[in-house]
Amino acid sequence: MVSKDSDIKERHDSAKELGLDRAAGFLHALSQGLISNGPLASTAVAMTSAMAFALGATPLAYLIGSLLVLTWINTPYQFSKYLASAGGMYYYVTKAGFPSAGYFAGIAYMIYYFIMPSANFIMFALILEYILGVNKMSYFISFALIAMVILMIIMVLHITKILDYGFATASIEMVLLIFISLYIIHALGPHNTLAVYNYQLASGGLSGFAVGMLIAGFGMSGSTAIVYLGSEAKTPTKIIKEALLVATFIIFGLYYLVSYAFTVGWGYTNISTLLEQPVPGLAVISKYLGFIGAVIFGIFILNSLIGVNVAGMIVVTRLQVAFARLGLFPGIFGKTSRRYKSPYIAAIINILLSGIIAILLSIWIGPLTAMVFTILVATIGEFLGHFIGNIALPFYYRKIKLNWFLHVILPIVNSIIIIFGIYYTFYPPTMPYVLAPVILLVAFLLGYIQLLYVKRKKDPGLRRFMEEFGRIGEDFYSKA
């Protein structure tokens, strides 16, 4: 059995080998969890997806949706008690005894965090067009390029500087959201109501409410991005699980408040008209604070989108650093800055590719369709990556001490929720959205081919190779 002290020392050594710096504290991890949710951008823009189904029952959808999130974060939380890695879910599944499945989980999450910035670049450009009152593709492309350049500059910095920025911006976002929500609630006075906690207000009643609840739940699950700081947190098995819980419950409270204020503030019986607005959240804000207030919030929403992209790029580049050191990715993705200890080359490559995809898709099928399509590609990646993690969790804890509720029942419940999520996301199949799962299948096929290549190239085999040379931290209960 490996002692706790030797385990932590091993993590420090492995972080150094990766070229990363173990300097992130609790607030840095918390920052990653908050900005990955993008509070202001999500509640002002993305909440529309849940509203489209839940309508006037949106606050209830977020309330019950939080229970779904608890089943979602259970898997990374349980793994993070004993494991820490830049590889996140890939490493967790590998340590459960399934290195090949771990690689596929890594691919799924890499696609999720790589393609989400594409959607956010599009959203950034659309909101800037809305604020400035312009509507030309040349402006759209210019605005998307601005977002890309800003993200590149940030991602070159040291992880603590990046997350210091993230914590500051997330704090401002939360203050603004609490302010506008309380302002609306105060302005409504006696018109505040508990009627919104009735599922029958949803489109189609219970069926529409169920879909809205699923979307609301998945929209609050972004805090799991924290686990990819496993090689940069000072005391990872302590900081990561604590930050994961704190960030999640902060998001719960914030989304409850905003979903209620925005729903009742617009008129819970008239939500369909809100969905017709270009930026629904800004429409609500404009109703109470006027155009200038909406513009001010719009500027901070742009910053919120940058924050979401920062969190995503932290994840995808750390995954690629781990893969590069395994020989599963080109070595250039594993290079880090001597000064800032950041995988800046990987960041620049990913930002460029993600931005190009956003622009080309927008030119081809239009910005709105392109945004929805990229979100769906990202969503299927997140679903599949987490599904693999759910399956692996009980196998890992079988080596320690299995808790049937935490390590078996909750992962099964969450896997069922994921299956329903995939079904309602892609049924009925429509073009081009049905191509999203096809993209994941192609990525998995290419990953399988890559695994076969590595298995033949590395001796004495893939499992030993991944465990010995890809080890980025060891669980406390492994054999010495």
Side-chain angles (χ1 to χ4, degrees):
M1 181 177 292
V2 178
S3 70
K4 186 172 181 178
D5 289 340
S6 64
D7 177 77
I8 292 175
K9 182 178 185 301
E10 182 178 50
R11 287 200 188 92
H12 277 275
D13 292 341
S14 59
K16 184 177 180 181
E17 290 170 4
L18 286 172
L20 302 174
D21 192 8
R22 191 172 293 283
F26 172 79
L27 290 181
H28 295 118
L30 180 62
S31 168
Q32 172 75 346
L34 293 175
I35 63 174
S36 62
N37 281 282
L40 190 53
S42 294
T43 55
V45 182
M47 190 176 285
T48 307
S49 299
M51 277 186 169
F53 294 94
L55 296 178
T58 296
L60 181 62
Y62 274 92
L63 182 63
I64 300 180
S66 63
L67 299 178
L68 306 184
V69 180
L70 292 179
T71 70
W72 180 274
I73 69 168
N74 174 67
T75 293
Y77 179 84
Q78 297 301 330
F79 274 123
S80 67
K81 288 180 179 180
Y82 303 112
L83 298 173
S85 166
M89 192 65 75
Y90 137 70
Y91 182 69
Y92 295 161
V93 177
T94 296
K95 294 305 296 181
F98 307 100
S100 296
Y103 182 48
F104 288 122
I107 290 175
Y109 268 102
M110 193 179 301
I111 290 174
Y112 168 54
Y113 286 108
F114 166 77
I115 206 66
M116 272 306 294
S118 296
N120 291 330
F121 288 144
I122 296 171
M123 195 179 299
F124 183 98
L126 289 174
I127 292 176
L128 203 49
E129 281 188 329
Y130 173 79
I131 293 173
L132 298 178
V134 297
N135 185 21
K136 289 184 178 180
M137 184 56 67
S138 58
Y139 285 112
F140 175 86
I141 295 173
S142 298
F143 297 153
L145 290 172
I146 290 172
M148 292 166 61
V149 171
I150 294 173
L151 186 58
M152 284 183 189
I153 293 172
I154 294 173
M155 290 307 301
V156 169
L157 300 176
H158 189 275
I159 187 66
T160 56
K161 298 298 181 184
I162 294 174
L163 293 176
D164 283 342
Y165 152 77
F167 187 76
T169 190
S171 299
I172 294 172
E173 290 177 40
M174 291 188 292
V175 169
L176 287 173
L177 284 170
I178 292 171
F179 164 76
I180 187 60
S181 298
L182 294 180
Y183 183 87
I184 292 172
I185 292 171
H186 178 266
L188 288 171
H191 296 290
N192 283 289
T193 178
L194 295 178
V196 292
Y197 294 96
N198 179 359
Y199 75 86
Q200 293 179 339
L201 292 172
S203 175
L206 184 59
S207 61
F209 176 77
V211 179
M213 179 182 62
L214 281 172
I215 296 172
F218 287 123
M220 294 187 287
S221 63
S223 299
T224 54
I226 294 172
V227 302
Y228 293 88
L229 296 177
S231 290
E232 291 167 285
K234 293 177 181 177
T235 53
T237 52
K238 179 178 186 295
I239 286 175
I240 289 175
K241 62 185 179 66
E242 292 177 355
L244 180 58
L245 285 181
V246 173
T248 299
F249 281 99
I250 288 175
I251 292 299
F252 284 172
L254 193 64
Y255 281 44
Y256 294 160
L257 179 65
V258 178
S259 64
Y260 171 81
F262 280 30
T263 301
V264 178
W266 186 263
Y268 71 93
T269 60
N270 202 29
I271 291 299
S272 59
T273 61
L274 177 60
L275 300 175
E276 297 170 359
Q277 304 299 314
V279 185
L282 288 184
V284 177
I285 294 168
S286 180
K287 178 179 178 180
Y288 289 88
L289 298 183
F291 177 74
I292 299 300
V295 169
I296 293 172
F297 269 79
I299 293 171
F300 281 101
I301 290 174
L302 296 177
N303 186 66
S304 180
L305 290 170
I306 295 295
V308 177
N309 283 352
V310 165
M313 281 298 155
I314 286 175
V315 174
V316 73
T317 54
R318 272 59 185 177
L319 266 169
Q320 289 171 354
V321 166
F323 281 2
R325 295 306 170 94
L326 284 168
L328 296 170
F329 254 58
I332 193 171
F333 286 90
K335 293 186 179 296
T336 56
S337 166
R338 290 185 179 181
R339 179 178 179 182
Y340 296 115
K341 304 296 182 182
S342 63
Y344 66 102
I345 296 179
I348 291 173
I349 292 173
N350 281 280
I351 293 168
L352 284 173
L353 292 177
S354 182
I356 290 171
I357 289 172
I359 292 171
L360 292 180
L361 280 176
S362 296
I363 294 172
W364 180 33
I365 57 178
L368 288 176
T369 303
M371 184 174 69
V372 174
F373 178 72
T374 51
I375 289 174
L376 290 179
V377 173
T379 299
I380 190 68
E382 182 186 28
F383 283 170
L384 294 179
H386 204 89
F387 189 88
I388 294 171
N390 285 339
I391 294 173
L393 182 63
F395 289 93
Y396 176 73
Y397 267 89
R398 187 179 60 179
K399 301 185 297 182
I400 306 173
K401 183 179 180 181
L402 188 69
N403 180 308
W404 278 91
F405 178 72
L406 294 175
H407 307 140
V408 179
I409 295 176
L410 282 186
I412 290 175
V413 170
N414 184 249
S415 296
I416 294 172
I417 292 171
I418 288 174
I419 291 171
F420 276 105
I422 293 174
Y423 175 81
Y424 283 114
T425 299
F426 296 101
Y427 186 84
T430 56
M431 289 292 291
Y433 308 126
V434 73
L435 295 178
V438 175
I439 290 174
L440 262 293
L441 290 176
V442 171
F444 277 10
L445 177 60
L446 295 176
Y448 179 69
I449 294 172
Q450 173 72 350
L451 278 181
L452 291 179
Y453 170 76
V454 171
K455 187 172 183 179
R456 291 175 181 176
K457 182 178 178 182
K458 303 293 182 180
D459 185 47
L462 178 63
R463 179 186 293 271
R464 182 175 173 185
F465 165 67
M466 294 182 80
E467 290 186 351
E468 291 187 3
F469 296 91
R471 189 168 57 189
I472 314 172
E474 183 60 77
D475 61 280
F476 298 161
Y477 295 89
S478 66
K479 296 180 180 179

